[in-house]
Amino acid sequence: MNYTFQFGVLAQYQDELLAGLWLTIQISVFAIVCGTAFGILFAALRSVAGRPVRIPIDAYVELIRNTPFLVQLFIIYFGLPAGGMRVSAITAALIGVTINLAAYSTEIVRAGIEAIHKSQIEAGEALGFTRVQIFRYVVIIPALQKVYPALSSQFVLMMLATSICSAISVGELTAAASFVQSQSYRSFEVYLAVTALYLVLALALRAILALIGLWLFGRRTARRALKPVVEASA
């Protein structure tokens, strides 16, 4: 193969790439915060509420988890205007990633809640805890501790999935790479560089999540969340 790499060309477009990287980070942080909050709420309602509440939540989770993320984005960005609700590309991306992550978070947190043994709840009742205290100290915190590594992995997957938002003209990292490639005609160099940026971003996110796990739950949970980073750097 007679090909000469010219990575120096990318220096001319570093502002575009950095702007795309920053937008990817912003979308990811928004999705993690809002998607996790909704996931905890829906998992809690699913565990304690009656069928009229559980059935819509179950339907939502199954619908989102069994349809492509790209199709969900298209429905939000192209479908909502047909109903009279027009949203910008970035707003559609934020709504899409939040809805998608919330569905997966709901299922992950639900598994953690169901792993809490009834005897622990009964012990809380015997100690005179209120229902709110039981849910907070006996159920949700231990449940989140059990599933935190799985949640961390889902957060990284969602960060990588933000690349799909380029399909609706959101100027995140993949869209920035497409623009740079169209201007420089150096496809190999552009996408190798963007691959490296996504890798660094994923490893950095895992490390940050591990530190958060250390702060919230202690060393054992943090080590489990950090394990992929250690393996990748070995």
Side-chain angles (χ1 to χ4, degrees):
M1 183 176 68
N2 187 20
Y3 188 87
T4 302
F5 288 98
Q6 297 181 18
F7 286 101
V9 175
L10 302 182
Q12 304 173 29
Y13 304 97
Q14 62 180 351
D15 291 341
E16 288 82 0
L17 292 173
L18 290 176
L21 179 64
W22 176 236
L23 184 56
T24 294
I25 294 172
Q26 289 178 300
I27 294 173
S28 300
V29 171
F30 183 91
I32 289 172
V33 173
C34 296
T36 304
F38 281 116
I40 293 173
L41 175 62
F42 293 156
L45 291 174
R46 196 176 180 182
S47 300
V48 301
R51 288 175 60 85
V53 175
R54 287 202 305 270
I55 290 176
I57 293 176
D58 288 343
Y60 155 71
V61 170
E62 292 303 317
L63 175 65
I64 297 300
R65 293 175 69 237
N66 292 286
T67 54
F69 179 45
L70 180 59
V71 173
Q72 297 165 19
L73 280 178
F74 282 171
I75 290 175
I76 296 170
Y77 187 60
F78 298 113
L80 290 182
M85 183 179 175
R86 186 173 297 276
V87 295
S88 67
I90 292 180
T91 301
L94 293 175
I95 294 172
V97 294
T98 300
I99 289 175
N100 189 275
L101 182 58
Y104 285 92
S105 297
T106 298
E107 192 66 11
I108 292 171
V109 176
R110 178 199 61 79
I113 291 175
E114 290 186 353
I116 303 301
H117 200 276
K118 283 187 176 182
S119 62
Q120 294 176 263
I121 298 175
E122 292 170 352
E125 293 173 345
L127 292 172
F129 285 7
T130 65
R131 294 186 64 180
V132 173
Q133 289 175 322
I134 290 174
F135 179 78
R136 179 179 177 183
Y137 297 109
V138 180
V139 177
I140 194 61
I141 292 180
L144 289 176
Q145 183 175 5
K146 290 176 182 294
V147 301
Y148 187 75
L151 276 176
S152 297
S153 296
Q154 192 61 49
F155 295 158
V156 174
L157 289 175
M158 176 49 64
M159 182 276 293
L160 298 175
T162 58
S163 60
I164 298 175
C165 297
S166 61
I168 59 171
S169 303
V170 176
E172 46 69 64
L173 184 55
T174 300
S178 180
F179 170 77
V180 173
Q181 182 275 330
S182 69
Q183 298 296 310
S184 65
Y185 301 103
R186 308 301 298 184
S187 303
F188 213 177
E189 291 90 334
V190 169
Y191 289 110
L192 280 176
V194 168
T195 298
L197 287 174
Y198 273 118
L199 177 61
V200 170
L201 195 57
L203 294 177
L205 179 57
R206 284 193 179 276
I208 292 170
L209 291 170
L211 291 175
I212 294 173
L214 177 62
W215 175 58
L216 291 175
F217 306 117
R219 293 181 180 275
R220 182 177 179 182
T221 301
R223 282 199 300 268
R224 289 165 60 198
L226 189 58
K227 184 178 179 181
V229 182
V230 176
E231 291 176 346
S233 60

